[in-house]
């Protein structure tokens, strides 16, 4: 059974902290994605990666960075967390132009 | 933005009735996908329809695509309480591998 896992389901951090969200997929997919989901705004793409060490900005990359050192792992980094980054973060993976498989999500609260 | 828009934003029906939700998008696509999200969880892929297809079925799901109108519809027949969820359409950017999600339709099926 295909699987995308995220390091935490719930996370509470303080303003200014550095935050790491990790995502691992076991399907050997080339593409991996990070989205944030907010009420009324749907899913918005933060970054995606189509290969190891490759990354592309999505619609809202400001305040975030990513790392993909291995094919199965894609990390989202909040360099200095702010309250407006409180959100649900969803990771997904896919092969080319195919369905995306999503992780369960991480609900991040920044206080 | 390439983002699709679902309509209606919310839908409430009785168990056994059919549910129809619509998606409109702005630019040419390779394919369009529908996803379901149960409350507080990740998204689950339902069905993919390619730009050269007009209709596709999967169990109780029927998806249509009208590229001339840049719109798609998802029909769920004989709805069940377990169909209660949010439904999202996702369209790919014609030249890349990004997917853009709409803001979703929240479906409530009353037992």
């Amino acid at each position: 059974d295909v699987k995308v896992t995220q390091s935490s389901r719930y996370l509470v951090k303080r303003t200014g902290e550095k935050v790491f969200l990790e995502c691992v997929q076991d399907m050997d997919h080339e593409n991996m994605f990070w989205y944030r989901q907010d009420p009324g705004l749907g899913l918005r793409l933060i970054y995606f990666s189509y290969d190891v060490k490759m990354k592309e900005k999505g619609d809202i990359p400001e305040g975030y960075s990513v790392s993909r050192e291995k094919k199965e792992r894609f990390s989202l980094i909040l360099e200095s967390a702010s309250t407006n980054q409180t959100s649900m973060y969803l990771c997904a993976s896919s092969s080319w132009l195919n369905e995306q498989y999503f992780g369960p999500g991480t609900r991040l609260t920044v206080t | 933005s390439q983002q699709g828009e679902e309509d209606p934003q919310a839908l409430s029906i009785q168990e056994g009735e059919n549910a129809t939700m619509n998606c409109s998008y702005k630019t040419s696509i390779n394919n369009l996908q529908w996803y379901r999200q149960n409350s507080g969880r990740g998204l689950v892929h339902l069905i993919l329809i390619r730009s050269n297809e007009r209709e596709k079925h999967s169990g109780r799901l029927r998806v249509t695509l009208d590229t001339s109108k840049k719109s798609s519809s998802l029909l769920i027949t004989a709805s069940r309480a377990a169909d209660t969820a949010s439904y999202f359409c996702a369209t790919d950017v014609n030249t890349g591998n990004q997917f853009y999600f709409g803001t979703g339709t929240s479906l409530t099926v009353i037992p």
Side-chain angles (χ1 to χ4, degrees), chain A residues 9 31 37 45 59 97 100, chain B residues 35 37 40 97-100:
Chain A
R9 288 299 311 277
N31 306 306
Q37 183 177 25
L45 182 65
D59 291 329
L97 286 178
Q100 296 194 357
Chain B
Y35 289 80
Q37 184 181 34
N97 198 34
Q98 296 183 55
F99 290 91
Y100 289 88

Side-chain angles (χ1 to χ4, degrees), chain B residues 29-89:
Chain B
I29 59 171
N30 291 309
N31 62 59
L32 184 144
Q33 303 180 37
W34 285 92
Y35 289 80
R36 183 188 74 228
Q37 184 181 34
N38 290 92
S39 180
R41 312 290 291 192
L43 278 72
V44 174
H45 182 264
L46 295 176
I47 198 164
L48 179 153
I49 186 165
R50 302 197 186 281
S51 59
N52 60 355
E53 297 175 313
R54 292 296 168 258
E55 190 170 312
K56 205 160 183 180
H57 296 255
S58 176
R60 293 184 297 112
L61 305 180
R62 173 178 166 250
V63 169
T64 61
L65 179 64
D66 187 335
T67 53
S68 66
K69 294 182 180 177
K70 293 187 172 60
S71 68
S72 173
S73 67
L74 170 67
L75 168 68
I76 304 173
T77 59
S79 63
R80 305 167 183 168
D83 295 329
T84 294
S86 292
Y87 292 82
F88 295 86
C89 67

Side-chain angles (χ1 to χ4, degrees), chain A residues 35-39 42-43 87-90, chain B residues 37 41 43 88:
Chain A
Y35 298 90
R36 65 176 282 177
Q37 183 177 25
D38 301 287
L43 275 75
S87 186
M88 169 73 96
Y89 290 87
L90 293 165
Chain B
Q37 184 181 34
R41 312 290 291 192
L43 278 72
F88 295 86

